[in-house]
Amino acid sequence: MTRKPVDIGVPDRLYMVTGGRSEADNSLDLVTLIVSECEPTAGMQSEHTRILDLCRHPTALVEVSAELKLPITVVRILLGDLIDMGKVSARHPRAAGSVAALPETALLQEVLHGLRNL
Amino acid sequence: MGSATSEVPSQRTPLADAAEIGLKIVVVGGFGVGKTTLVRSVSEIRPLNTEEVMTQAGQGVDETAGVERKTTTTVAFDFGRISLNERMVLYLFGAPGQERFWFLWDRLFSGTLGAVVLVDTRRMADSWYAIDRLEHHKTPFVVAVNRFDDDPSRFSLDEIRQALALGDHVPMVDADARVRSSGKDVLITLVDHLYTQALSREGTQ
Ligand SMILES: Nc1nc2c(ncn2[C@@H]2O[C@H](COP(=O)(O)OP(=O)(O)OP(=O)(O)O)[C@@H](O)[C@H]2O)c(=O)[nH]1
Ligand SMILES: [Mg+2]
């Protein structure tokens, strides 16, 4: 892999990585946890390979962005593709109005407990 | 961003495989106020950084002379992480409070639990804008005063509250961003505040 990191703000480079699309999957939050569902295969786009390697363990979108040195928007596009192909899955943060979500007080109590145990 | 991409991933500490709930807290404040230091002192990983870029036609935000017809807004921020338990992981973001940052707030930080406004008493005016924007976005926050050793003023928290025109409901706390236990106290102050607010909301339902 010799491709240099995307030059931020230079559309040509973003174009290369994302195949020219600019519509990111906005349902993906910075802290949505991404998990690989398969191994990378030969001939895959290098960014996809790196994401599948990285997300063997749950990895937040923002960490994927930092590790790949690609802006959030670009990572949203890449992850959206991988999700559509079933190659990764997303664990969305509870904020998304899930019915099963903990009541806020219970969630915050868990957070407090975790912080106090640091 | 960094000059070279290493193909060897930096020694990463992976999250637990059961991790499923990501949470956010944002630390905002003026330049050099200690945001990165605070994130580093409580984070289980070395702070990482990344950025968001937004290209749009028109809109005179942060226009850079001579670069295309479109406006590109770039916001860089760093972050750390705290595994609260097997399932829950808290991400702590350090972000500059300048104008273009707020422009991307909804894209990046909607759904955040709350915010810490980090204040340097020698440059209090730097935090006015952040406080105003947080109130506008209805994001609950606490104010942490980062006490630098070379600051002779030692304003009391009450004096600072007045200078910042903060309501009584906004918790304030002294901090030393370099010290882990102090950073931890700041976070606990914020989450305690959120908890109290949530309790009274649930009580009135
Ligand atoms: N004495 C003292 N120095 C501090 C404290 N917090 C931060 N510093 C120092 O202040 C300087 C700036 O801290 P940073 O954490 O980089 O500040 P920042 O807000 O991230 O700065 P920018 O990202 O550049 O806006 C560093 O040299 C820190 O070591 C503190 O509580 N006390
Ligand atoms: Mg910093």
Side-chain angles (χ1 to χ4, degrees), chain B residues 113-186:
Chain B
L113 288 177
V116 173
V117 177
L118 204 53
V119 173
D120 177 346
T121 56
R122 294 164 299 183
R123 287 171 296 166
M124 273 197 270
D126 287 5
S127 21
W128 290 343
Y129 192 66
I131 289 169
D132 183 67
R133 296 324 293 166
L134 288 171
E135 282 171 349
H136 171 83
H137 285 273
K138 299 196 168 31
T139 303
F141 63 94
V142 298
V143 170
V145 180
N146 200 17
R147 299 287 191 181
F148 287 82
D149 315 318
D150 50 345
D151 175 9
S153 59
R154 302 302 302 183
F155 291 112
S156 71
L157 289 183
D158 272 344
E159 288 169 317
I160 298 166
R161 183 185 294 280
Q162 289 210 339
L164 295 176
L166 285 179
D168 287 338
H169 62 284
V170 179
M172 295 186 70
V173 59
D174 278 307
D176 184 331
R178 299 162 301 177
V179 178
R180 182 176 165 85
S181 61
S182 177
K184 184 178 145 177
D185 278 347
V186 170

